[in-house]
Amino acid sequence: MKTAPTVPNGAKQGAEAHGIPGVEASIWTERMVSALVNGVEGGKWYSLMDKVCAPHTLALAWERVRANRGAAGVDGQSVEKFEAKAGAYLAELAEELRGGTYVKDRIVQAAVKLVIEPIFEFQFLETSYGFRPGRGCKDALREVDGLLKAGYTHVVDADLKGYFDTIPHSPLMARVETSISDGQVLGLIQGWLGQDILKGLERWTPTGGTPQGAVISPLLANLYLHPLDERMMARGYRMVRYADDFVILCRSREEADSALAEVREWVDANGLTLHPDKTHVGDCRQKGEGFEFLGYRFEAGRRWVRKKSLKRIKDAIRSKTGRMRSGSLKEIVSDLNPMLRGWFEYFKHAQRNTLNELDGFIRRRLRAC
C-alpha cells in the first residue's frame, strides 16, 4: 500500500516562511516569492494549477484537514477511512485534478488555499484580523483597546446582514480574477461557489454567498471586504475588522457619522446590507452607547464579557454537569478544565465580578452532580 507523500525537509509547517504570511516554503519557491514582492509580470498569476496538484501540496492540505478533523469529501468518507489509504487516495486525487474529473472535497480546497492565500495576503491591510495567518481575536481586541485609550471614543458599530450568505458571486469572482488568471483554479473556485444547496426537499443553485464551512470561504470573504478596508484607510478612519464584524473608532460624533455614511455608500454599491437594528453610532464613554466586539462589551471606560458569551459558556457547563451525567466528580472536572482554561485565557481581562459569578455557577453545578 502506498504511503502518503511527505512534505520536503526544510519546509516550514504552518509558519510564515519567507517572512510573508501564509507562504509555505514547500509550495512557494524563492522565484515565486520574489515575483510576489516585486510584482508578477502582467499583474496576474497564470500557472498555479500545477502547484495545487503537486504531491507535497496535497499532502500538506491533507495534514491540515486531518488536524482540523474535517470531512474528507462530499461522499461522506470519514477522515479515518481516508487516512487508512491516504497515499493512494492523494495520488488518485492528483490525477483527477489534472484530468478535470475530480469530486469536490476539503482537501482540494485546502490545497488551493495554500497556493493562492499569499497572493491576497500580500494585498490585505493591517486593519483586518479575522481568519488570517499570524493574526487573531486578541490582536484585534488590543487594537481596539489602544484606540479607546488614545481618545477614539466615538464608535461606528456596523453589522452586515447575512454577510457570508449574500456575497454576490460575479463581483467576488471579478476580484479573484484581478490577481489570478489560471482558468483551472478559477474554475474550481467558481464550482465551489455554485455548488447546489439542498434543504429539505428543495434544491437550488446559489448566486450569492460562500459555501458554509468551506475551507476557502474565509479567504474569499476577506477578499470581498478588502476594498472597504482600503477605502476607510485612504480616508483616514481607524477601522478594526474581524471577518464581517468591524468597528470604526473616531474622535468625534461628526467623524463617526461621516464614517458610517462612507460605509453605507460602499455597502449599497457592493450588493450588501447593513443590519438596521444592529448598526449604530455612539459615544462609548456614555452608559448605553457602548459596543460589542468579539465577545466583549466596551462601555463607560470598562470592558466585560457580553451576555451572549456568558450564556454560551454556562450552557456548555450545563451540558457537561447534568444530574444524569455518569462518571466520578474527578472525571467531570477533568472534562471541564480544558474548556474553562481556554475561556479564561480569552476573557481574563474581563471584570473580576464576572469571573467570580462564573466560579460560583461552576461550584453549584458540581455540587448538584
Side-chain angles (χ1 to χ4, degrees):
M1 182 180 69
K2 293 182 180 179
T3 57
T6 57
V7 177
N9 290 333
K12 295 184 179 180
Q13 302 293 315
E16 294 180 4
H18 302 286
I20 300 174
V23 168
E24 287 291 341
S26 61
I27 299 169
W28 277 72
T29 64
E30 292 293 341
R31 184 177 178 181
M32 291 175 69
V33 172
S34 178
L36 182 62
V37 173
N38 299 311
V40 67
E41 186 176 349
K44 294 186 179 183
W45 295 81
Y46 287 86
S47 300
L48 297 173
M49 195 61 185
D50 61 320
K51 295 291 183 183
V52 174
C53 297
H56 53 268
T57 304
L58 292 175
L60 183 54
W62 157 238
E63 289 177 12
R64 296 284 175 85
V65 171
R66 179 174 57 183
N68 292 327
R69 307 311 294 172
V74 295
D75 59 355
Q77 187 178 38
S78 68
V79 167
E80 290 74 17
K81 183 178 178 181
F82 193 97
E83 190 170 18
K85 295 183 179 180
Y89 285 137
L90 291 176
E92 289 174 10
L93 190 55
E95 289 300 315
E96 290 170 359
L97 282 167
R98 293 188 188 98
T101 60
Y102 105 105
V103 177
K104 303 174 185 66
D105 66 12
R106 295 176 67 87
I107 295 173
V108 179
Q109 287 191 24
V112 169
K113 183 172 180 284
L114 284 166
V115 172
I116 72 171
E117 185 173 47
I119 296 171
F120 298 114
E121 267 296 319
F122 195 70
Q123 303 170 22
F124 291 164
L125 302 181
E126 292 293 307
T127 56
S128 167
Y129 293 88
F131 306 107
R132 297 184 58 191
R135 301 166 73 79
C137 293
K138 290 184 179 181
D139 302 304
L141 288 168
R142 275 192 287 268
E143 178 67 12
V144 166
D145 194 53
L147 287 169
L148 289 171
K149 290 176 179 176
Y152 293 82
T153 53
H154 288 75
V155 63
V156 177
D157 184 8
D159 184 276
L160 292 171
K161 189 175 181 179
Y163 175 62
F164 282 89
D165 295 327
T166 58
I167 303 173
H169 286 177
S170 293
L172 172 59
M173 285 304 301
R175 285 174 197 176
V176 175
E177 291 166 12
T178 60
S179 298
I180 295 174
S181 282
D182 187 307
Q184 288 180 285
V185 170
L186 293 174
L188 289 174
I189 296 172
Q190 185 71 66
W192 292 323
L193 291 176
Q195 189 172 350
D196 283 358
I197 297 173
L198 184 64
K199 188 174 183 180
L201 298 177
E202 296 183 39
R203 187 186 188 98
W204 69 93
T205 301
T207 58
T210 55
Q212 187 174 8
V215 175
I216 201 76
S217 289
L219 175 61
L220 297 177
N222 272 331
L223 176 61
Y224 198 71
L225 287 179
H226 174 59
L228 176 61
D229 296 342
E230 292 182 309
R231 179 185 182 123
M232 302 311 288
M233 178 174 280
R235 286 159 174 71
Y237 294 113
R238 306 301 294 269
M239 185 165 82
V240 182
R241 181 172 68 80
Y242 192 95
D244 61 328
D245 190 5
F246 62 91
V247 292
I248 305 164
L249 293 159
C250 306
R251 290 190 179 276
S252 68
R253 175 74 188 220
E254 293 73 23
E255 184 184 354
D257 287 336
S258 297
L260 179 56
E262 290 280 356
V263 170
R264 196 179 300 280
E265 181 181 311
W266 186 91
V267 165
D268 291 344
N270 286 272
L272 302 175
T273 305
L274 284 176
H275 198 296
D277 300 325
K278 298 181 180 179
T279 300
H280 80 283
V281 171
D283 179 354
C284 59
R285 294 171 299 182
Q286 306 301 318
K287 186 176 180 180
E289 293 191 34
F291 62 96
E292 295 181 351
F293 188 59
L294 301 180
Y296 277 96
R297 173 90 185 167
F298 293 84
E299 187 174 296
R302 300 185 300 134
R303 70 170 172 174
W304 61 87
V305 181
R306 69 173 190 161
K307 291 180 180 179
K308 286 184 179 179
S309 300
L310 193 58
K311 180 181 183 302
R312 191 175 296 120
I313 187 65
K314 286 184 175 180
D315 287 344
I317 292 167
R318 286 189 186 96
S319 71
K320 292 178 180 290
T321 57
R323 290 181 181 273
M324 303 303 292
R325 163 79 189 250
S326 61
S328 67
L329 190 60
K330 183 178 180 180
E331 290 172 334
I332 295 173
V333 170
S334 296
D335 190 24
L336 283 172
N337 276 340
M339 178 181 70
L340 295 176
R341 289 192 187 102
W343 192 90
F344 173 75
E345 181 60 29
Y346 187 79
F347 287 110
K348 62 186 177 184
H349 299 294
Q351 295 292 306
R352 186 176 180 83
N353 59 354
T354 300
L355 303 179
N356 290 337
E357 176 190 344
L358 188 61
D359 179 67
F361 176 79
I362 295 168
R363 290 174 184 274
R364 290 192 297 275
R365 294 297 302 180
L366 291 176
R367 280 197 295 270
C369 288

